[in-house]
Amino acid sequence: MITNSSLPHISFSRLIPKHLSWLILAMDGLAMTVALWTAWYVTLCFPYATFVLDGYEPLLPPFQPRLYFYSALCFVILLLFANKGHYTKRVPWWGQVQLILNACFFALLFDGFTYFAMQQPFSRVLITTSWVFAGLFIIIGRQTVFLLLQNLES
């Protein structure tokens, strides 16, 4: 007869441990920060890709307003991820990827439309690359965290 003491403890909980949720949240924040700085560097490398339509002059708008707006959108995206249970429940991998890509795509649309509607000088390359890199780096960051924890457990 098998007793309870001889069976290994297997957790069937669908919840993520607190330390892992904080690690995933920190990695998402880091990924979005690195994405903005990488996009800024790419934009600096291709200055003629950003231009004013009427004069075709190289233009790189001030970075500080972009930083504030991007940070606010990143905060909203992190709240969306928390609301969908990315930091508390075990969400299937492809469900996470789908939400990450959808969130970054709609953030890209909202970001671009807002700058266009406010008639502010903006870099299309900076806006596009920042959200493309954000989606890519968030996915890579989460995969890194999961692989790292998998290797630590084995």
Side-chain angles (χ1 to χ4, degrees):
M1 173 177 250
I2 299 176
T3 64
N4 285 341
S5 63
S6 65
L7 292 175
H9 182 270
I10 300 173
S11 174
F12 292 103
S13 173
R14 301 289 300 162
L15 298 179
I16 294 177
K18 279 235 187 264
H19 65 279
L20 180 58
S21 358
W22 287 109
L23 185 61
I24 295 170
L25 176 66
M27 185 60 83
D28 286 352
L30 178 67
M32 287 193 253
T33 304
V34 170
L36 180 64
W37 293 110
T38 305
W40 182 255
Y41 180 74
V42 167
T43 306
L44 288 176
C45 289
F46 301 105
Y48 290 97
T50 61
F51 55 84
V52 178
L53 289 176
D54 54 357
Y56 293 99
E57 299 171 7
L59 169 74
L60 197 56
F63 187 64
Q64 195 170 6
R66 173 77 191 131
L67 179 64
Y68 295 148
F69 194 70
Y70 181 82
S71 299
L73 280 175
C74 287
F75 182 72
V76 169
I77 287 177
L78 291 176
L79 286 177
L80 173 71
F81 291 162
N83 186 36
K84 295 294 183 179
H86 282 225
Y87 306 124
T88 55
K89 300 176 193 162
R90 295 184 190 264
V91 179
W93 174 249
W94 291 111
Q96 290 182 36
V97 170
Q98 179 184 13
L99 184 65
I100 290 167
L101 294 179
N102 282 339
C104 289
F105 176 72
F106 285 112
L108 168 66
L109 290 179
F110 182 76
D111 200 4
F113 176 75
T114 304
Y115 271 88
F116 180 75
M118 291 188 312
Q119 296 181 350
Q120 296 291 320
F122 65 95
S123 166
R124 292 173 193 90
V125 174
L126 179 61
I127 290 174
T128 304
T129 54
S130 62
W131 290 112
V132 168
F133 285 144
L136 182 68
F137 290 166
I138 290 171
I139 292 170
I140 290 171
R142 286 195 184 189
Q143 187 65 32
T144 303
V145 167
F146 294 142
L147 288 175
L148 205 141
L149 288 174
Q150 215 172 31
N151 288 339
L152 289 177
E153 288 176 0
S154 59

